[in-house]
Amino acid sequence: MTFYTYVESPIGRLLLGGDDEGLTRLHFSSGSKAQGPDPAWVESAEPFAEVTRQLSEYFAGQRRDFTVKLRPAGTPFQLAVWEALCRIPYGETTSYGALAKDLGRPDAARAVGMANGSNPIAIIQPCHRVIGASGKLTGFGGGLPLKQALLELERGERRLF
């Protein structure tokens, strides 16, 4: 059974989804990748108490690493990219090409970008830390201003609470 809840945050309402095995999604309620719950899902905040607490700590600048159990669904390549996202240090960025090289696929920067763009667990699998080779911000499901705000939060340049 899939559960969901909405949590309010300083960057807007977030949709959390998951099951007994872990968090399967964290989506923005606005932006190009905004999603809502499937009609078959059951609304319940209880399964998400820990992730909600950790997100609050993150937005307050008190948490750098998340310890909630994740269970994203994707291809083996997507899963490898999403795992690699979690290894990008807090407050740092990398490029799609550098991430592809780290995965042993130096010619797969475009594929890394596609996998990054389909990341089902935003913020916790920190796709916002991936930028273009030129150092410019590139696409983000929550919008580029939100990506910039998250990066500034992590560099200690902005408070969200």
Side-chain angles (χ1 to χ4, degrees):
M1 176 175 295
T2 300
F3 298 98
Y4 79 95
T5 193
Y6 286 100
V7 292
E8 297 301 326
S9 82
I11 60 168
R13 195 173 198 208
L14 303 172
L15 170 68
L16 304 178
D19 56 28
D20 293 334
E21 296 181 42
L23 187 70
T24 59
R25 63 198 72 242
L26 188 162
H27 295 295
F28 303 106
S29 293
S30 61
S32 65
K33 303 260 180 166
Q35 292 187 13
D38 183 285
W41 298 352
V42 175
E43 187 170 10
S44 176
E46 184 179 332
F48 306 103
E50 182 61 18
V51 70
T52 299
R53 184 183 67 77
Q54 290 188 27
L55 283 167
S56 292
E57 292 171 354
Y58 170 80
F59 290 124
Q62 300 167 344
R63 174 170 289 275
R64 293 175 172 242
D65 298 302
F66 291 92
T67 60
V68 294
K69 186 167 182 199
L70 306 179
R71 202 178 67 75
T75 68
F77 181 76
Q78 287 173 322
L79 292 171
V81 170
W82 300 335
E83 287 175 18
L85 294 175
C86 294
R87 292 190 297 270
I88 303 169
Y90 180 92
E92 295 183 23
T93 58
T94 192
S95 69
Y96 299 100
L99 202 53
K101 285 179 189 168
D102 289 346
L103 291 168
R105 305 268 312 267
D107 297 329
R110 214 176 214 137
V112 165
M114 295 294 289
N116 194 56
S118 62
N119 175 16
I121 306 176
I123 302 169
I124 294 174
Q125 292 182 156
C127 52
H128 60 278
R129 295 180 189 156
V130 184
I131 60 175
S134 67
K136 290 197 175 245
L137 298 186
T138 56
F140 186 63
L144 293 182
L146 178 54
K147 184 173 189 168
Q148 182 69 40
L150 292 172
L151 292 173
E152 289 173 356
L153 168 72
E154 292 186 4
R155 290 191 302 251
E157 299 168 359
R158 177 184 286 211
R159 302 298 296 172
L160 295 177
F161 272 127

